[in-house]
Amino acid sequence: EVAGVLVGTARWTGVPLSRVLALAGPLPDADQLIGRSVDGWTGGFPTALAAAPDALVAIGMNGVELPVRHGYPARLVIPGLYGYVSATKWLSDLELTRWDDYDAYWIRRGWAKSGPVKTMTRIDVPGRVVTPGTVRVAGVAWAPPRGISAVELRVDRGRWQRARCS
C-alpha cells in the first residue's frame, strides 16, 4: 500500500554514490544506474539522481551497522524515488547502462519506470469516525527531496486552516 507501513524515516550513513561513480568513470551516454541484489533483484534510475549529495551506498542506519532486514552489508538510498526503482538492498553490483537498454525487476512487471515520490499526506489521528465538536487531527506529509513548507487542512467545505507542525 502506498503510504503504508513501508514509509518511514532513518538516518543513513555511507559513501556518497557520486564518489563511487566517479571512480567508475562512466561513459557519457550511460544515463541509467542499475543496482543488483545478491538475490537477483534489480532497480534502475537515472544516473543524474546519483549525483545528489544524499544519494548513498548506505552501510549504517540510525547510528548502527545496517541491519540485515534493511540490506546489510550495503544498500542504495536515493531520496525522491520509490524503493521499487532505487532501494537495492543486499547490494552486490552496480551497472551503468542506457535508459532504453534495460528494464529492472518491477518495470518488466508493468510498473512505471521513473518512480518519483509525489507529494503525499496521510491523516493518522483520529483514525475513526468522530462526533461533532473539537477533534485533534494529526498526520504526516512528505515530498522528498523538495520538502514540505506548510500543510493546510479543511473540514468538509469549510475554510482551509494552516496546520501546526511539531
Side-chain angles (χ1 to χ4, degrees), residues 6 21 25-26 28 33 43 49 55-56 60 68 82 100 102 118 125 133 146 150 159 164:
L6 299 179
L21 292 180
L33 182 63
L49 298 175
L56 296 175
V68 171
Y82 284 113
D100 294 332
Y102 185 82
K118 308 251 183 356
V125 175
R146 298 174 309 282
R159 67 179 179 82
R164 288 191 313 258

Side-chain angles (χ1 to χ4, degrees), residues 17 22 24 28 40 46 50 52 55 71 80 88 92 99 116-117 135 140 142 147-148 158 164 166:
L17 187 53
T88 306
S92 64
W99 188 255
V117 174
V135 175
V140 294
W142 62 94
I148 299 290
R164 288 191 313 258
S166 58

Side-chain angles (χ1 to χ4, degrees), residues 6-21:
L6 299 179
V7 172
T9 59
R11 183 174 300 273
W12 302 102
T13 54
V15 177
L17 187 53
S18 60
R19 288 177 53 196
V20 174
L21 292 180

